[in-house]
Amino acid sequence: MHSYLNIIDFLKKLCYIIYMAKLNFYQQRDIKNRVKMGKYTEKLPDYCMDFFIGIENNTSSLTRYNYAMDLYIFFNYLANYVFHKKENEITLDDLNKLKSRNLEQYLSYLSYYEMDGKQYRNDEKGKARKLASLRSFFKYLFNHDMIESNVASKIDTPKIHNKEIIRLENDEVKKLMETIENPIEFTKHQKEYNKQTFERDNAIITLFLGTGIRISELVGLNVESFDFSQNAFLVTRKGGNQTTLYFSKEVALALKTWLEKRATLNLPEDENAMFISLQNKRISIRAVENLVKKYAQIASPLKKISPHKLRSTFGTNLYKETRDIYIVADVLGHKDVNTTKKHYAAISEDMRKSVADVIKINS
């Protein structure tokens, strides 16, 4: 009987692999998020699924997955410190008993807590995100007459202190590109590895610095996403919207050089990913993070440079050149220009100072 169940389980996994292979990157990512979300929702009360079904048409699978994680943390807290019962046994009547102080205590708890044998910490940004998840959840329950009041709406959002934008200066960008081409500080093993990946790594970092796309957007690119006659490419933004972006001749050269190398690889016929791992499949987000970190540690050892910091470098340079926050917001894919203003407020201050002496009164 045990052997029979193992065979059934194997066949299910095989069918899943075959099915996933027929889907594109974004469809695969959506299914993976749904599967991961299910590992949390199965531990929550049934009425939580009403919430996830209710918001499905207006949210991405990644957003719902994050909501599921946040709600599980919240219900785990309620189970252990408020109601002393299992997470999935907490009723709507129990939620009706919650007071503002219960949620305020929960936010304090998030500063440092242990769950499922692991330790976690949250700064004000992490707390604000988890509170936003609760607000969405309680709002849904209240609007659908499932609870009597929306206690989450009474809680103030933690004050978030804006952090300095970490970005590369022009000399650091130059050193970063030189490091990719000639990594003299690498070990012998790293140098051999670099010979196999130089064209790809150079194209990836050049594309980050030249267009400011997100890491998830880069990983999802296909060869057919690019039109070199227009120096343009189609990128799938957060939420699934597609946008055409344009790149410089310098970026085009790096991409074409990589495509020439890519054409020599022994890839599966149906592999259309633009950027490929050494396993001859679409490169992963983790691999891109690691390769950026590897080169950046040499080029700028005092700064923790990630793909997002390369995006900030592009945004900074674009803002300095155009002085148009709306153009920057559009190219970066920010839905709200206030997000862009918040990130580049410090640069605006520098610009205001720089033009102070432009107008002459007694000329």
Side-chain angles (χ1 to χ4, degrees), residues 95 144 151 168 211 255 259 274 276-277 282 287 293 318 363:
L95 296 187
H144 287 75
V151 66
L168 293 173
T211 65
L255 292 173
L259 285 174
M274 179 64 173
I276 302 296
S277 70
R282 186 182 299 273
K293 179 181 178 181
L318 183 61
S363 57

Side-chain angles (χ1 to χ4, degrees), residues 115-164:
M115 189 178 71
D116 298 335
K118 295 182 180 180
Q119 293 79 38
Y120 300 91
R121 297 176 58 121
N122 280 276
D123 57 13
E124 62 266 24
K125 187 175 180 181
K127 292 180 181 181
R129 196 201 82 174
K130 289 176 173 59
L131 178 58
S133 299
L134 288 185
R135 282 179 173 167
S136 180
F137 176 62
F138 276 88
K139 180 180 178 181
Y140 175 86
L141 297 181
F142 179 69
N143 288 346
H144 287 75
D145 301 318
M146 299 170 74
I147 55 175
E148 296 172 1
S149 64
N150 182 359
V151 66
S153 65
K154 302 176 182 179
I155 309 301
D156 292 332
T157 300
K159 181 178 177 59
I160 299 177
H161 298 85
N162 291 331
K163 296 180 180 179
E164 179 186 3

Side-chain angles (χ1 to χ4, degrees), residues 11-134:
L11 290 175
K12 285 181 178 179
K13 290 180 180 178
L14 182 60
C15 289
Y16 175 77
I17 293 172
I18 294 173
Y19 173 72
M20 290 288 281
K22 297 179 180 179
L23 305 178
N24 64 38
F25 170 76
Y26 297 99
Q27 291 169 329
Q28 290 181 17
R29 187 176 66 176
D30 180 68
I31 289 176
K32 289 177 181 177
N33 285 334
R34 289 172 182 268
V35 171
K36 289 188 292 185
M37 186 183 85
K39 294 180 180 179
Y40 290 102
T41 56
E42 67 182 10
K43 303 174 184 178
L44 297 172
D46 291 341
Y47 53 82
C48 291
M49 275 309 301
D50 294 334
F51 165 65
F52 288 111
I53 293 171
I55 65 173
E56 183 167 359
N57 292 331
N58 298 313
T59 57
S60 68
S61 60
L62 179 60
T63 296
R64 295 193 299 279
Y65 167 55
N66 287 329
Y67 279 179
M69 283 194 297
D70 292 344
L71 287 184
Y72 175 66
I73 295 169
F74 177 63
F75 274 85
N76 182 266
Y77 169 79
L78 294 181
N80 288 292
Y81 298 99
V82 181
F83 298 118
H84 305 290
K85 58 173 71 172
K86 293 181 179 180
E87 292 91 345
N88 60 6
E89 294 176 350
I90 296 173
T91 65
L92 289 169
D93 286 337
D94 289 328
L95 296 187
N96 274 321
K97 296 174 185 176
L98 293 176
K99 305 298 181 183
S100 298
R101 63 181 178 84
N102 294 123
L103 269 65
E104 289 167 348
Q105 290 168 349
Y106 169 65
L107 291 179
S108 176
Y109 161 82
L110 289 174
S111 296
Y112 173 81
Y113 63 98
E114 295 185 16
M115 189 178 71
D116 298 335
K118 295 182 180 180
Q119 293 79 38
Y120 300 91
R121 297 176 58 121
N122 280 276
D123 57 13
E124 62 266 24
K125 187 175 180 181
K127 292 180 181 181
R129 196 201 82 174
K130 289 176 173 59
L131 178 58
S133 299
L134 288 185

Side-chain angles (χ1 to χ4, degrees), residues 139 184 219 270:
K139 180 180 178 181
I184 56 176
V219 169
D270 59 347

